Amino acid sequence: MNTPIEILLVEDNPTDLELTLLALQKHKLANKVHVARDGEEALEFLFCRGKFDGRGFDAPPKVVLLDLKLPKVDGLEVLRQLKEDPRTRAVPVVVMTSSNQQRDMVESYKFGVNSYIQKPINFTDFQEIMGQLGYYWLAINQPPPAAAFK
Amino acid sequence: MLRNVPIKRKLTLAMMLTGLSVLVLTSVSFMVYGVTSARRNLVLNLQILAEITAANAGGALNFDDSKAAEDILSKLQAEPTVIKAALYSRDNKIIAHYPQSVAEKDFPAVRQSQSPIFGYGVIEMFYPVRENERWVGTLFVQTDLSPLYVRFRLYVIIVIAIMAAAVTIIFILSQWLQKQISKPILQLADTARVVSEKRDYGVRAQGTGRDEIGQLTQAFNHMLNQIQEREEALRKSQRELQDLNRELEERVLQRTEELESTNKELEAFTYSVSHDLRAPLRHVDAFAQLAAEETASSSSQQLHKYVERIRAGVTNMGRLIDDLLNLSRVGRAEVVQQPVQLNQLVDEVLSEMKPETENRNIEWTIDKLPTVTCDSGLMKQVFTNLIANAVKYTRRREKALIHIGIEDVDGKPAVFVKDNGVGFDSRYSAKLFGVFQRLHRAEDFEGTGVGLAIVKRIMDLHDGTVWAASELDKGTTFWFSFKGLNPNSVKK
């Protein structure tokens, strides 16, 4: 548990969660993942409150993988709050959803999402995408410096 | 001259003039008659006086007895109108005169005429005096005319008084009569004015008589009745029309609301489909693959085939969902009209299709296409679907020929996509643009039967049409034409 959290996975569906973790595992990324099962939990984690009030804003995940259809607080709302607050605005967010509805895409990009991915039906493709995603955000991309979270 | 004078005054004037002229004529004749008869009386009086005096004076003159003559004349005192009188002898000399105060030289010389002579305010006459049938002298009498003047003046006063009274009476009468005549006319005029000014067709003119004005009033009222009835009928039909309009508007509003709510439901439905229907598919595919991986060591070829079947089914279903969502999105799309270069769209589509076409032997012929006004995204979808079809159905050709261009069809420009593919039986071309309609077996050519339906919807949105001609094993041509295609676009 000492390894810093690199991926925050926000996913409510247990099957999807299992499959996503499986795909990440295949690329040796699963042990750096923290899972939030709904929007509220995700917000608590990111804003360091509730059971996460020990966390600091200076150590956010390198990327948030966000589903849109979530219980309590939905994904778009999580995204909006995240991108509105100067302390969390710099955290990269990737929306991962079943939908390719224009409405969702427009809203996500308007709120400032960093990437929008439609989960493919084909599992092979999905695994591939998860590998690329992890590789890109954790290895290729330069994460925002600490000064960006103030 | 009297045109602008109110009818009241005209009537009064007419009656006054008539009455006055009658009165003046009557008065004048009355006066003339009175004065004439008074004069005649005066003359007669004078004559009688002269005759009596002459009869009495015969003896006195016969004997030249001036004393007796003066006695006789002095009796004229009884007649106050006598101014003076004289008796002349046969040789025309004055024997006696009356009154004594008047000098003899103030008497005129004897004249032979017996007719009375009118002087200034007086009347005088000479009368022969006889005694036993013998002429013995002449009598002269002069009387005062002033009674005539007095009478004349009286007449004038009477006439003036009568005139004044008559004028008053005529005026009052004419006022009353005038009211009888003019009142209904004025009322009629008043009513007409109210009607024309206020457009109030409910007022009525009051007329009781049966004379011409009464008839006119009745006719006028009858006319007003008719106008009022028509006006009411008009109002009624207007009101009905308005009611109908309102009802129609309400109904349109209601329908619009219903439509909006249906639309919202549809949107919610597609949203839900988009999110929730795909998730289980992904799961099925994932676990099928995981199962296949688990059994990778197993030599059961059959199991692998089954897993492949499961995954193929999942893929197909996923495509179906995507196509359906696409179709529903196209149907509800807002068309954004803007100038679009069609060749650019075709180029984009071809580059996106590279993965499917790069291993094929396809000879592309792409003509110069115009810049047209349309929705760029939707039009690109049209090219995508038609070109994808052409690519798909030429798969078995050694060398596929695909031609994209524009030509004139029955006087209007149409863009076409032509291939040398398998074609279809033109008997079924009516089914071509329906949803889920397929003219090929799934094992020959995959597909969901939505692509052409989408093309048709997009053309509908552009006020356009799409049609096709085909021959089995020869190839197929699709044409589409829409409002934004300029007739000048076809260059020969």
Side-chain angles (χ1 to χ4, degrees), chain A residues 16-27:
Chain A
D16 269 320
L17 178 61
E18 186 186 342
L19 291 173
T20 308
L21 288 176
L22 215 67
L24 288 174
Q25 220 161 41
K26 194 179 172 192
H27 298 281

Side-chain angles (χ1 to χ4, degrees), chain A residues 13 15-16 18-19 22 68-69 97-104 118-124 127, chain B residues 267 270-271 274-276 278-279 281-283 285-287 289-290 293 311 314-315 318 322 325 329:
Chain A
N13 185 309
T15 313
D16 269 320
E18 186 186 342
L19 291 173
L22 215 67
L68 285 187
K69 273 196 106 178
T97 178
S98 296
S99 138
N100 64 343
Q101 287 283 293
Q102 184 121 343
R103 194 171 75 190
D104 288 339
Q118 187 191 15
K119 294 182 199 166
I121 283 177
N122 188 298
F123 187 60
T124 320
Q127 280 177 314
Chain B
E267 210 165 307
T270 54
Y271 190 78
S274 156
H275 273 279
D276 302 337
R278 290 160 59 96
L281 274 183
R282 277 189 287 106
H283 303 164
D285 190 73
F287 289 114
Q289 192 189 336
L290 290 171
E293 279 168 17
R311 298 195 72 194
V314 167
T315 308
D322 282 349
L325 288 174
R329 186 166 56 212

